[in-house]
Amino acid sequence: MAEKTATKDWVTPVALVGGAIMLGAGAYLVLKKPSVIRSGDKIKANFKFKYAGSGGVYVLQVSFGNKIFDTPVFDHVEGLTFTKEINLTEAKDYVIDLIMALPMGVTPNVYDAEALIAAPPLSRNILGQFDYLVKSVTEGALKVVA
């Protein structure tokens, strides 16, 4: 008698897994797209961070521009930096909103965002211009359309 060898059909599982991966990748790309806004419109930046210090007055600064490749350098666009003074009272997780209006005539483009919490201007002279507690850069955060 001849022995029967079982062969498995791999086409169906590969097609199902491949299809699921493609659907997941498509959903990710669709949901990842930046917010669309026109110049002159108001936007809200939501900044979440963990603060471990003893408290004090700081400055939240959100700037739009472009991250330069894989370097820590961020190229700010003039007129697209917004600041807000914040009082951090204790060590905890914070969520701070900054509402800003984009100036008229902003060039249509996709901008990256840089958010940082810095020492107040008076302290900054003593500490150094580039001292900050928290820094976060988001690529493709804002899309300005004509």
Side-chain angles (χ1 to χ4, degrees):
M1 259 201 221
E3 270 187 46
K4 251 181 149 176
T5 57
T7 59
K8 294 187 177 185
D9 180 17
W10 291 102
V11 174
T12 302
V14 168
L16 289 174
V17 170
I21 290 171
M22 294 300 282
L23 283 173
Y28 171 77
L29 291 173
V30 166
L31 295 175
K32 183 183 176 277
K33 69 181 178 181
S35 306
V36 176
I37 192 168
R38 298 185 189 290
S39 62
D41 288 350
K42 286 189 178 184
I43 57 173
K44 178 171 77 170
N46 183 268
F47 190 53
K48 300 175 187 178
F49 64 96
K50 179 176 230 142
Y51 176 66
S54 60
V57 176
Y58 294 93
V59 175
L60 168 62
Q61 178 179 305
V62 175
S63 301
F64 295 101
N66 299 101
K67 182 179 177 205
I68 310 240
F69 303 109
D70 286 336
T71 67
V73 178
F74 190 86
D75 183 24
H76 298 89
V77 173
E78 191 173 332
L80 292 183
T81 296
F82 306 91
T83 59
K84 175 181 182 179
E85 194 172 89
I86 57 175
N87 187 13
L88 305 178
T89 55
E90 60 186 323
K92 67 176 188 175
D93 292 342
Y94 285 89
V95 178
I96 297 177
D97 293 330
L98 178 59
I99 298 174
M100 59 196 96
L102 292 182
M104 293 300 291
V106 173
T107 306
N109 200 351
V110 175
Y111 295 101
D112 301 327
E114 176 191 62
L116 58 87
I117 295 179
L122 293 176
S123 306
R124 200 173 307 140
N125 294 335
I126 298 165
L127 296 174
Q129 183 178 359
F130 301 108
D131 286 345
Y132 51 84
L133 299 174
V134 180
K135 179 178 180 179
S136 173
V137 175
T138 304
E139 293 185 37
L142 178 71
K143 181 176 183 181
V144 178
V145 295

